[in-house]
Amino acid sequence: MKILLMGDDSRIEEFQEKNYQIPKQNITIAINKDFEFSEFDIIIDMTAAEKKSFHLLERYAELNQKVVILGGVQQSLAAVTKLMPKPIRCHLIGMNMLPTFINRNLWEMSALNETSKLAATKLLEQMGIYCRWVADRVGMVSARVVLMIINEAFYTLQEGTASKNDIDLAMKLGTSYPHGPFEWAELIGIQYVYETLEALYEDTHDERYRVCPLLKQTYFYALGTI
């Protein structure tokens, strides 16, 4: 089985930390994107479903019966396919590939149909990777929960209820989460936190996802615009 892996350095590194049951020489890491995609059995593009990365989707769509996994939680697969000028011939799969969500026991994935689920499950299990299928929605499940908690933590800090350190410690001790919300925001990256929350609010109009002003300020400060 031949695998093509594409993404930024941190996510590729996190993928490589996972114990998969396939020789490393079977995995090609893309330095550029000028590959002949049809020679691979499975393509894992860790950032393709993020809002600014649609330029390869038309090429993916033409890969008849190939499994293509798109990382990103800011768009649903259904929304992505509406941008396609041609029919989808590949098995298109969505996955939560935000940083810190890759190297874990179960991959969180979505599909457009049962046939694609079966095709992806078969190949992934050959790699020693197992998945949990969720509905095709922005944010999927775990990203919605974690980012909502991060957002609420920023509200708590903004209101002066507790310090960052106290909030992080309280969440780790009280919930046994691996990271406190501010620690987790830093590991994910404030850009992904803010932009995914924005996408969630746009999709659901649920006040739980309305971005805290302090988080928004932190995001624009990180961009260097304030």
Side-chain angles (χ1 to χ4, degrees), residues 5-52:
L5 182 65
M6 296 187 290
D8 54 54
D9 291 343
S10 64
R11 278 185 265 201
I12 288 174
E13 182 179 347
E14 187 179 347
F15 175 87
Q16 291 175 317
E17 291 171 354
K18 188 170 182 62
N19 293 322
Y20 43 79
Q21 298 170 4
I22 189 168
K24 290 186 177 181
Q25 60 265 29
N26 289 33
I27 300 176
T28 299
I29 297 174
I31 299 173
N32 56 57
K33 300 189 178 181
D34 296 326
F35 286 89
E36 179 52 57
F37 292 143
S38 61
E39 69 182 75
F40 295 94
D41 300 297
I42 183 169
I43 296 169
I44 303 174
D45 190 335
M46 296 183 169
T47 60
E50 290 168 1
K51 288 188 174 180
K52 299 177 182 178

mmCIF file of all heavy atoms in Angstrom, residues 5-52:
data_model
loop_
_atom_site.group_PDB
_atom_site.id
_atom_site.type_symbol
_atom_site.label_atom_id
_atom_site.label_comp_id
_atom_site.label_asym_id
_atom_site.label_seq_id
_atom_site.Cartn_x
_atom_site.Cartn_y
_atom_site.Cartn_z
ATOM 1 N N LEU A 5 1.313 11.649 2.057
ATOM 2 C CA LEU A 5 1.001 12.467 3.230
ATOM 3 C C LEU A 5 1.407 13.903 2.964
ATOM 4 O O LEU A 5 2.555 14.183 2.615
ATOM 5 C CB LEU A 5 1.741 11.911 4.447
ATOM 6 C CG LEU A 5 1.524 12.593 5.790
ATOM 7 C CD1 LEU A 5 0.085 12.432 6.253
ATOM 8 C CD2 LEU A 5 2.483 12.020 6.830
ATOM 9 N N MET A 6 0.460 14.816 3.108
ATOM 10 C CA MET A 6 0.737 16.232 2.874
ATOM 11 C C MET A 6 0.223 17.063 4.033
ATOM 12 O O MET A 6 -0.824 16.758 4.607
ATOM 13 C CB MET A 6 0.084 16.696 1.568
ATOM 14 C CG MET A 6 0.641 16.011 0.336
ATOM 15 S SD MET A 6 -0.006 16.705 -1.204
ATOM 16 C CE MET A 6 -1.696 16.133 -1.134
ATOM 17 N N GLY A 7 0.957 18.114 4.373
ATOM 18 C CA GLY A 7 0.531 18.985 5.464
ATOM 19 C C GLY A 7 1.689 19.805 5.967
ATOM 20 O O GLY A 7 2.809 19.723 5.456
ATOM 21 N N ASP A 8 1.432 20.603 6.995
ATOM 22 C CA ASP A 8 2.515 21.395 7.570
ATOM 23 C C ASP A 8 3.387 20.503 8.454
ATOM 24 O O ASP A 8 3.021 19.385 8.818
ATOM 25 C CB ASP A 8 1.962 22.589 8.358
ATOM 26 C CG ASP A 8 0.950 22.178 9.418
ATOM 27 O OD1 ASP A 8 1.282 21.309 10.249
ATOM 28 O OD2 ASP A 8 -0.154 22.733 9.415
ATOM 29 N N ASP A 9 4.576 21.012 8.798
ATOM 30 C CA ASP A 9 5.579 20.198 9.488
ATOM 31 C C ASP A 9 5.078 19.644 10.815
ATOM 32 O O ASP A 9 5.326 18.481 11.149
ATOM 33 C CB ASP A 9 6.850 21.023 9.731
ATOM 34 C CG ASP A 9 7.603 21.333 8.444
ATOM 35 O OD1 ASP A 9 7.327 20.656 7.427
ATOM 36 O OD2 ASP A 9 8.442 22.242 8.456
ATOM 37 N N SER A 10 4.356 20.459 11.591
ATOM 38 C CA SER A 10 3.942 20.016 12.921
ATOM 39 C C SER A 10 2.943 18.866 12.837
ATOM 40 O O SER A 10 2.992 17.912 13.618
ATOM 41 C CB SER A 10 3.340 21.188 13.712
ATOM 42 O OG SER A 10 2.156 21.659 13.090
ATOM 43 N N ARG A 11 2.038 18.909 11.861
ATOM 44 C CA ARG A 11 1.040 17.847 11.752
ATOM 45 C C ARG A 11 1.641 16.567 11.172
ATOM 46 O O ARG A 11 1.272 15.467 11.576
ATOM 47 C CB ARG A 11 -0.171 18.327 10.951
ATOM 48 C CG ARG A 11 -1.117 19.124 11.842
ATOM 49 C CD ARG A 11 -2.377 19.514 11.144
ATOM 50 N NE ARG A 11 -2.253 20.844 10.590
ATOM 51 C CZ ARG A 11 -3.289 21.615 10.271
ATOM 52 N NH1 ARG A 11 -4.520 21.196 10.472
ATOM 53 N NH2 ARG A 11 -3.112 22.822 9.767
ATOM 54 N N ILE A 12 2.576 16.723 10.249
ATOM 55 C CA ILE A 12 3.269 15.540 9.748
ATOM 56 C C ILE A 12 4.052 14.878 10.877
ATOM 57 O O ILE A 12 4.048 13.644 11.027
ATOM 58 C CB ILE A 12 4.199 15.915 8.581
ATOM 59 C CG1 ILE A 12 3.360 16.232 7.338
ATOM 60 C CG2 ILE A 12 5.192 14.787 8.280
ATOM 61 C CD1 ILE A 12 4.149 16.744 6.166
ATOM 62 N N GLU A 13 4.703 15.675 11.699
ATOM 63 C CA GLU A 13 5.438 15.135 12.836
ATOM 64 C C GLU A 13 4.501 14.405 13.795
ATOM 65 O O GLU A 13 4.830 13.320 14.295
ATOM 66 C CB GLU A 13 6.166 16.261 13.567
ATOM 67 C CG GLU A 13 7.003 15.798 14.739
ATOM 68 C CD GLU A 13 7.736 16.937 15.420
ATOM 69 O OE1 GLU A 13 7.795 18.055 14.848
ATOM 70 O OE2 GLU A 13 8.257 16.727 16.530
ATOM 71 N N GLU A 14 3.328 14.980 14.046
ATOM 72 C CA GLU A 14 2.373 14.325 14.935
ATOM 73 C C GLU A 14 1.881 13.008 14.337
ATOM 74 O O GLU A 14 1.733 12.006 15.047
ATOM 75 C CB GLU A 14 1.184 15.248 15.222
ATOM 76 C CG GLU A 14 0.236 14.688 16.274
ATOM 77 C CD GLU A 14 -0.942 15.603 16.576
ATOM 78 O OE1 GLU A 14 -0.922 16.780 16.162
ATOM 79 O OE2 GLU A 14 -1.892 15.118 17.225
ATOM 80 N N PHE A 15 1.648 12.982 13.022
ATOM 81 C CA PHE A 15 1.256 11.741 12.356
ATOM 82 C C PHE A 15 2.338 10.679 12.518
ATOM 83 O O PHE A 15 2.052 9.505 12.778
ATOM 84 C CB PHE A 15 0.986 11.987 10.877
ATOM 85 C CG PHE A 15 0.689 10.742 10.089
ATOM 86 C CD1 PHE A 15 -0.602 10.255 9.995
ATOM 87 C CD2 PHE A 15 1.707 10.052 9.446
ATOM 88 C CE1 PHE A 15 -0.879 9.102 9.274
ATOM 89 C CE2 PHE A 15 1.440 8.895 8.725
ATOM 90 C CZ PHE A 15 0.145 8.418 8.637
ATOM 91 N N GLN A 16 3.588 11.084 12.365
ATOM 92 C CA GLN A 16 4.691 10.134 12.447
ATOM 93 C C GLN A 16 4.883 9.575 13.856
ATOM 94 O O GLN A 16 5.501 8.530 14.027
ATOM 95 C CB GLN A 16 5.984 10.800 11.958
ATOM 96 C CG GLN A 16 5.971 11.069 10.456
ATOM 97 C CD GLN A 16 7.199 11.825 9.999
ATOM 98 O OE1 GLN A 16 7.633 12.777 10.642
ATOM 99 N NE2 GLN A 16 7.773 11.408 8.881
ATOM 100 N N GLU A 17 4.345 10.270 14.857
ATOM 101 C CA GLU A 17 4.426 9.770 16.228
ATOM 102 C C GLU A 17 3.459 8.619 16.471
ATOM 103 O O GLU A 17 3.598 7.879 17.447
ATOM 104 C CB GLU A 17 4.128 10.908 17.218
ATOM 105 C CG GLU A 17 5.204 11.982 17.257
ATOM 106 C CD GLU A 17 4.778 13.194 18.074
ATOM 107 O OE1 GLU A 17 3.603 13.238 18.502
ATOM 108 O OE2 GLU A 17 5.614 14.097 18.267
ATOM 109 N N LYS A 18 2.476 8.480 15.582
ATOM 110 C CA LYS A 18 1.469 7.426 15.747
ATOM 111 C C LYS A 18 2.059 6.080 15.336
ATOM 112 O O LYS A 18 2.827 5.996 14.385
ATOM 113 C CB LYS A 18 0.230 7.742 14.911
ATOM 114 C CG LYS A 18 -0.935 6.815 15.178
ATOM 115 C CD LYS A 18 -2.187 7.339 14.517
ATOM 116 C CE LYS A 18 -3.370 6.430 14.815
ATOM 117 N NZ LYS A 18 -3.676 6.354 16.249
ATOM 118 N N ASN A 19 1.705 5.039 16.051
ATOM 119 C CA ASN A 19 2.193 3.698 15.735
ATOM 120 C C ASN A 19 1.319 3.076 14.647
ATOM 121 O O ASN A 19 0.241 2.577 14.916
ATOM 122 C CB ASN A 19 2.169 2.819 16.989
ATOM 123 C CG ASN A 19 3.166 3.280 18.026
ATOM 124 O OD1 ASN A 19 4.266 3.693 17.678
ATOM 125 N ND2 ASN A 19 2.781 3.231 19.294
ATOM 126 N N TYR A 20 1.767 3.147 13.411
ATOM 127 C CA TYR A 20 1.024 2.538 12.320
ATOM 128 C C TYR A 20 1.757 1.271 11.868
ATOM 129 O O TYR A 20 2.965 1.129 12.015
ATOM 130 C CB TYR A 20 0.842 3.503 11.149
ATOM 131 C CG TYR A 20 2.064 4.295 10.782
ATOM 132 C CD1 TYR A 20 3.085 3.730 10.022
ATOM 133 C CD2 TYR A 20 2.209 5.611 11.196
ATOM 134 C CE1 TYR A 20 4.209 4.453 9.685
ATOM 135 C CE2 TYR A 20 3.333 6.338 10.866
ATOM 136 C CZ TYR A 20 4.335 5.759 10.108
ATOM 137 O OH TYR A 20 5.447 6.477 9.782
ATOM 138 N N GLN A 21 0.991 0.338 11.315
ATOM 139 C CA GLN A 21 1.519 -0.979 10.970
ATOM 140 C C GLN A 21 1.800 -1.068 9.478
ATOM 141 O O GLN A 21 1.237 -1.892 8.760
ATOM 142 C CB GLN A 21 0.512 -2.055 11.399
ATOM 143 C CG GLN A 21 0.262 -2.070 12.892
ATOM 144 C CD GLN A 21 -0.897 -2.955 13.266
ATOM 145 O OE1 GLN A 21 -1.492 -3.621 12.432
ATOM 146 N NE2 GLN A 21 -1.232 -2.967 14.557
ATOM 147 N N ILE A 22 2.692 -0.230 9.015
ATOM 148 C CA ILE A 22 3.057 -0.240 7.609
ATOM 149 C C ILE A 22 4.482 0.290 7.503
ATOM 150 O O ILE A 22 4.872 1.198 8.258
ATOM 151 C CB ILE A 22 2.081 0.620 6.776
ATOM 152 C CG1 ILE A 22 2.344 0.435 5.287
ATOM 153 C CG2 ILE A 22 2.122 2.080 7.160
ATOM 154 C CD1 ILE A 22 1.246 1.012 4.403
ATOM 155 N N PRO A 23 5.314 -0.281 6.639
ATOM 156 C CA PRO A 23 6.700 0.191 6.522
ATOM 157 C C PRO A 23 6.778 1.674 6.178
ATOM 158 O O PRO A 23 6.003 2.176 5.358
ATOM 159 C CB PRO A 23 7.266 -0.671 5.384
ATOM 160 C CG PRO A 23 6.410 -1.898 5.363
ATOM 161 C CD PRO A 23 5.039 -1.432 5.760
ATOM 162 N N LYS A 24 7.715 2.348 6.819
ATOM 163 C CA LYS A 24 7.841 3.790 6.591
ATOM 164 C C LYS A 24 8.149 4.127 5.136
ATOM 165 O O LYS A 24 7.789 5.200 4.650
ATOM 166 C CB LYS A 24 8.914 4.367 7.510
ATOM 167 C CG LYS A 24 8.509 4.382 8.975
ATOM 168 C CD LYS A 24 9.537 5.095 9.837
ATOM 169 C CE LYS A 24 9.065 5.147 11.297
ATOM 170 N NZ LYS A 24 10.043 5.851 12.162
ATOM 171 N N GLN A 25 8.820 3.194 4.450
ATOM 172 C CA GLN A 25 9.156 3.467 3.049
ATOM 173 C C GLN A 25 7.928 3.480 2.150
ATOM 174 O O GLN A 25 7.995 3.910 1.000
ATOM 175 C CB GLN A 25 10.181 2.462 2.518
ATOM 176 C CG GLN A 25 9.746 1.005 2.551
ATOM 177 C CD GLN A 25 10.222 0.291 3.800
ATOM 178 O OE1 GLN A 25 10.384 0.925 4.846
ATOM 179 N NE2 GLN A 25 10.472 -1.007 3.679
ATOM 180 N N ASN A 26 6.784 3.008 2.677
ATOM 181 C CA ASN A 26 5.538 3.049 1.896
ATOM 182 C C ASN A 26 4.837 4.401 2.001
ATOM 183 O O ASN A 26 3.819 4.631 1.354
ATOM 184 C CB ASN A 26 4.578 1.962 2.371
ATOM 185 C CG ASN A 26 5.040 0.567 1.979
ATOM 186 O OD1 ASN A 26 6.224 0.305 1.918
ATOM 187 N ND2 ASN A 26 4.100 -0.319 1.720
ATOM 188 N N ILE A 27 5.362 5.280 2.842
ATOM 189 C CA ILE A 27 4.740 6.592 3.050
ATOM 190 C C ILE A 27 5.600 7.665 2.395
ATOM 191 O O ILE A 27 6.788 7.809 2.702
ATOM 192 C CB ILE A 27 4.576 6.894 4.542
ATOM 193 C CG1 ILE A 27 3.689 5.832 5.204
ATOM 194 C CG2 ILE A 27 3.976 8.284 4.755
ATOM 195 C CD1 ILE A 27 3.551 5.989 6.700
ATOM 196 N N THR A 28 5.022 8.402 1.487
ATOM 197 C CA THR A 28 5.703 9.518 0.832
ATOM 198 C C THR A 28 5.203 10.817 1.439
ATOM 199 O O THR A 28 3.990 11.050 1.509
ATOM 200 C CB THR A 28 5.427 9.520 -0.684
ATOM 201 O OG1 THR A 28 5.926 8.305 -1.247
ATOM 202 C CG2 THR A 28 6.103 10.707 -1.360
ATOM 203 N N ILE A 29 6.120 11.643 1.897
ATOM 204 C CA ILE A 29 5.762 12.952 2.435
ATOM 205 C C ILE A 29 5.987 13.992 1.355
ATOM 206 O O ILE A 29 7.070 14.092 0.781
ATOM 207 C CB ILE A 29 6.592 13.285 3.693
ATOM 208 C CG1 ILE A 29 6.278 12.267 4.802
ATOM 209 C CG2 ILE A 29 6.311 14.704 4.176
ATOM 210 C CD1 ILE A 29 7.139 12.422 6.036
ATOM 211 N N ALA A 30 4.966 14.739 1.044
ATOM 212 C CA ALA A 30 5.023 15.676 -0.071
ATOM 213 C C ALA A 30 5.810 16.915 0.302
ATOM 214 O O ALA A 30 5.489 17.593 1.278
ATOM 215 C CB ALA A 30 3.618 16.064 -0.503
ATOM 216 N N ILE A 31 6.838 17.194 -0.463
ATOM 217 C CA ILE A 31 7.562 18.452 -0.328
ATOM 218 C C ILE A 31 6.888 19.503 -1.203
ATOM 219 O O ILE A 31 6.752 20.661 -0.852
ATOM 220 C CB ILE A 31 9.040 18.274 -0.731
ATOM 221 C CG1 ILE A 31 9.694 17.242 0.195
ATOM 222 C CG2 ILE A 31 9.789 19.605 -0.682
ATOM 223 C CD1 ILE A 31 11.098 16.859 -0.208
ATOM 224 N N ASN A 32 6.454 19.074 -2.373
ATOM 225 C CA ASN A 32 5.621 19.933 -3.224
ATOM 226 C C ASN A 32 4.390 19.112 -3.603
ATOM 227 O O ASN A 32 4.242 17.972 -3.164
ATOM 228 C CB ASN A 32 6.393 20.402 -4.467
ATOM 229 C CG ASN A 32 6.938 19.220 -5.261
ATOM 230 O OD1 ASN A 32 6.188 18.346 -5.679
ATOM 231 N ND2 ASN A 32 8.250 19.191 -5.450
ATOM 232 N N LYS A 33 3.532 19.648 -4.408
ATOM 233 C CA LYS A 33 2.270 18.970 -4.719
ATOM 234 C C LYS A 33 2.173 18.642 -6.197
ATOM 235 O O LYS A 33 1.098 18.628 -6.776
ATOM 236 C CB LYS A 33 1.092 19.809 -4.235
ATOM 237 C CG LYS A 33 1.151 20.033 -2.722
ATOM 238 C CD LYS A 33 -0.087 20.667 -2.167
ATOM 239 C CE LYS A 33 0.028 20.803 -0.646
ATOM 240 N NZ LYS A 33 -1.143 21.401 -0.024
ATOM 241 N N ASP A 34 3.326 18.303 -6.796
ATOM 242 C CA ASP A 34 3.357 17.962 -8.217
ATOM 243 C C ASP A 34 3.411 16.458 -8.442
ATOM 244 O O ASP A 34 3.949 15.980 -9.428
ATOM 245 C CB ASP A 34 4.571 18.627 -8.889
ATOM 246 C CG ASP A 34 4.473 20.139 -8.867
ATOM 247 O OD1 ASP A 34 3.341 20.638 -8.956
ATOM 248 O OD2 ASP A 34 5.507 20.800 -8.762
ATOM 249 N N PHE A 35 2.870 15.681 -7.521
ATOM 250 C CA PHE A 35 2.883 14.231 -7.637
ATOM 251 C C PHE A 35 1.825 13.754 -8.620
ATOM 252 O O PHE A 35 0.837 14.439 -8.880
ATOM 253 C CB PHE A 35 2.607 13.591 -6.274
ATOM 254 C CG PHE A 35 3.761 13.682 -5.318
ATOM 255 C CD1 PHE A 35 3.894 14.767 -4.476
ATOM 256 C CD2 PHE A 35 4.711 12.681 -5.262
ATOM 257 C CE1 PHE A 35 4.944 14.857 -3.589
ATOM 258 C CE2 PHE A 35 5.767 12.758 -4.383
ATOM 259 C CZ PHE A 35 5.887 13.847 -3.546
ATOM 260 N N GLU A 36 2.058 12.533 -9.144
ATOM 261 C CA GLU A 36 1.030 11.830 -9.882
ATOM 262 C C GLU A 36 0.181 11.104 -8.840
ATOM 263 O O GLU A 36 0.524 10.023 -8.366
ATOM 264 C CB GLU A 36 1.659 10.834 -10.861
ATOM 265 C CG GLU A 36 0.638 10.046 -11.660
ATOM 266 C CD GLU A 36 -0.378 10.939 -12.347
ATOM 267 O OE1 GLU A 36 0.023 11.827 -13.127
ATOM 268 O OE2 GLU A 36 -1.593 10.755 -12.068
ATOM 269 N N PHE A 37 -0.932 11.701 -8.452
ATOM 270 C CA PHE A 37 -1.714 11.199 -7.334
ATOM 271 C C PHE A 37 -2.233 9.782 -7.555
ATOM 272 O O PHE A 37 -2.437 9.027 -6.609
ATOM 273 C CB PHE A 37 -2.883 12.134 -7.044
ATOM 274 C CG PHE A 37 -2.474 13.478 -6.510
ATOM 275 C CD1 PHE A 37 -3.158 14.619 -6.892
ATOM 276 C CD2 PHE A 37 -1.419 13.591 -5.632
ATOM 277 C CE1 PHE A 37 -2.788 15.867 -6.393
ATOM 278 C CE2 PHE A 37 -1.043 14.827 -5.124
ATOM 279 C CZ PHE A 37 -1.725 15.974 -5.507
ATOM 280 N N SER A 38 -2.460 9.404 -8.813
ATOM 281 C CA SER A 38 -3.086 8.114 -9.094
ATOM 282 C C SER A 38 -2.213 6.932 -8.688
ATOM 283 O O SER A 38 -2.714 5.806 -8.583
ATOM 284 C CB SER A 38 -3.441 8.008 -10.575
ATOM 285 O OG SER A 38 -2.267 8.116 -11.366
ATOM 286 N N GLU A 39 -0.936 7.124 -8.458
ATOM 287 C CA GLU A 39 -0.063 6.008 -8.086
ATOM 288 C C GLU A 39 -0.196 5.628 -6.611
ATOM 289 O O GLU A 39 0.341 4.616 -6.176
ATOM 290 C CB GLU A 39 1.399 6.324 -8.403
ATOM 291 C CG GLU A 39 2.003 7.408 -7.531
ATOM 292 C CD GLU A 39 3.442 7.716 -7.914
ATOM 293 O OE1 GLU A 39 3.650 8.375 -8.955
ATOM 294 O OE2 GLU A 39 4.347 7.295 -7.164
ATOM 295 N N PHE A 40 -0.931 6.424 -5.832
ATOM 296 C CA PHE A 40 -1.082 6.159 -4.406
ATOM 297 C C PHE A 40 -2.438 5.523 -4.117
ATOM 298 O O PHE A 40 -3.432 5.804 -4.772
ATOM 299 C CB PHE A 40 -0.935 7.459 -3.604
ATOM 300 C CG PHE A 40 0.437 8.059 -3.705
ATOM 301 C CD1 PHE A 40 0.714 9.035 -4.650
ATOM 302 C CD2 PHE A 40 1.461 7.633 -2.869
ATOM 303 C CE1 PHE A 40 1.982 9.578 -4.758
ATOM 304 C CE2 PHE A 40 2.726 8.173 -2.969
ATOM 305 C CZ PHE A 40 2.992 9.146 -3.915
ATOM 306 N N ASP A 41 -2.454 4.653 -3.090
ATOM 307 C CA ASP A 41 -3.702 4.012 -2.675
ATOM 308 C C ASP A 41 -4.529 4.918 -1.774
ATOM 309 O O ASP A 41 -5.754 4.849 -1.762
ATOM 310 C CB ASP A 41 -3.392 2.708 -1.924
ATOM 311 C CG ASP A 41 -2.628 1.729 -2.779
ATOM 312 O OD1 ASP A 41 -3.177 1.286 -3.800
ATOM 313 O OD2 ASP A 41 -1.461 1.421 -2.447
ATOM 314 N N ILE A 42 -3.843 5.722 -0.990
ATOM 315 C CA ILE A 42 -4.528 6.616 -0.054
ATOM 316 C C ILE A 42 -3.769 7.932 0.024
ATOM 317 O O ILE A 42 -2.534 7.943 0.090
ATOM 318 C CB ILE A 42 -4.674 5.951 1.341
ATOM 319 C CG1 ILE A 42 -5.443 6.855 2.299
ATOM 320 C CG2 ILE A 42 -3.336 5.547 1.915
ATOM 321 C CD1 ILE A 42 -5.845 6.149 3.597
ATOM 322 N N ILE A 43 -4.491 9.018 -0.038
ATOM 323 C CA ILE A 43 -3.907 10.355 0.076
ATOM 324 C C ILE A 43 -4.455 10.994 1.337
ATOM 325 O O ILE A 43 -5.674 11.024 1.552
ATOM 326 C CB ILE A 43 -4.245 11.219 -1.150
ATOM 327 C CG1 ILE A 43 -3.606 10.617 -2.414
ATOM 328 C CG2 ILE A 43 -3.790 12.654 -0.951
ATOM 329 C CD1 ILE A 43 -4.095 11.229 -3.696
ATOM 330 N N ILE A 44 -3.555 11.486 2.178
ATOM 331 C CA ILE A 44 -3.945 12.170 3.410
ATOM 332 C C ILE A 44 -3.446 13.599 3.309
ATOM 333 O O ILE A 44 -2.246 13.865 3.420
ATOM 334 C CB ILE A 44 -3.361 11.469 4.656
ATOM 335 C CG1 ILE A 44 -3.793 9.997 4.703
ATOM 336 C CG2 ILE A 44 -3.798 12.198 5.925
ATOM 337 C CD1 ILE A 44 -3.149 9.196 5.823
ATOM 338 N N ASP A 45 -4.359 14.511 3.034
ATOM 339 C CA ASP A 45 -4.018 15.929 2.914
ATOM 340 C C ASP A 45 -4.543 16.622 4.163
ATOM 341 O O ASP A 45 -5.738 16.840 4.318
ATOM 342 C CB ASP A 45 -4.628 16.526 1.650
ATOM 343 C CG ASP A 45 -4.096 17.919 1.358
ATOM 344 O OD1 ASP A 45 -3.660 18.601 2.304
ATOM 345 O OD2 ASP A 45 -4.113 18.327 0.179
ATOM 346 N N MET A 46 -3.629 16.990 5.052
ATOM 347 C CA MET A 46 -4.012 17.414 6.395
ATOM 348 C C MET A 46 -4.643 18.800 6.466
ATOM 349 O O MET A 46 -5.205 19.162 7.495
ATOM 350 C CB MET A 46 -2.791 17.352 7.313
ATOM 351 C CG MET A 46 -2.265 15.950 7.502
ATOM 352 S SD MET A 46 -0.884 15.893 8.663
ATOM 353 C CE MET A 46 -0.755 14.118 8.911
ATOM 354 N N THR A 47 -4.535 19.588 5.413
ATOM 355 C CA THR A 47 -5.070 20.952 5.467
ATOM 356 C C THR A 47 -6.023 21.265 4.320
ATOM 357 O O THR A 47 -6.480 22.398 4.197
ATOM 358 C CB THR A 47 -3.932 21.989 5.467
ATOM 359 O OG1 THR A 47 -3.162 21.840 4.262
ATOM 360 C CG2 THR A 47 -3.016 21.810 6.663
ATOM 361 N N ALA A 48 -6.356 20.292 3.489
ATOM 362 C CA ALA A 48 -7.081 20.586 2.243
ATOM 363 C C ALA A 48 -8.482 21.124 2.445
ATOM 364 O O ALA A 48 -9.001 21.819 1.586
ATOM 365 C CB ALA A 48 -7.137 19.341 1.365
ATOM 366 N N ALA A 49 -9.129 20.799 3.553
ATOM 367 C CA ALA A 49 -10.509 21.253 3.750
ATOM 368 C C ALA A 49 -10.583 22.539 4.559
ATOM 369 O O ALA A 49 -11.664 22.961 4.947
ATOM 370 C CB ALA A 49 -11.345 20.164 4.414
ATOM 371 N N GLU A 50 -9.427 23.155 4.817
ATOM 372 C CA GLU A 50 -9.459 24.466 5.440
ATOM 373 C C GLU A 50 -9.769 25.508 4.370
ATOM 374 O O GLU A 50 -9.494 25.307 3.198
ATOM 375 C CB GLU A 50 -8.132 24.724 6.165
ATOM 376 C CG GLU A 50 -8.002 23.823 7.392
ATOM 377 C CD GLU A 50 -6.608 23.816 8.004
ATOM 378 O OE1 GLU A 50 -5.727 24.527 7.491
ATOM 379 O OE2 GLU A 50 -6.415 23.091 8.983
ATOM 380 N N LYS A 51 -10.303 26.604 4.741
ATOM 381 C CA LYS A 51 -10.977 27.494 3.794
ATOM 382 C C LYS A 51 -10.100 27.987 2.647
ATOM 383 O O LYS A 51 -10.607 28.300 1.587
ATOM 384 C CB LYS A 51 -11.563 28.685 4.553
ATOM 385 C CG LYS A 51 -12.778 28.320 5.395
ATOM 386 C CD LYS A 51 -13.425 29.549 5.972
ATOM 387 C CE LYS A 51 -14.719 29.195 6.689
ATOM 388 N NZ LYS A 51 -15.380 30.365 7.266
ATOM 389 N N LYS A 52 -8.800 28.045 2.817
ATOM 390 C CA LYS A 52 -7.936 28.630 1.794
ATOM 391 C C LYS A 52 -7.218 27.581 0.960
ATOM 392 O O LYS A 52 -6.281 27.891 0.255
ATOM 393 C CB LYS A 52 -6.922 29.556 2.463
ATOM 394 C CG LYS A 52 -7.560 30.719 3.208
ATOM 395 C CD LYS A 52 -6.521 31.571 3.904
ATOM 396 C CE LYS A 52 -7.184 32.704 4.696
ATOM 397 N NZ LYS A 52 -6.197 33.527 5.421
#
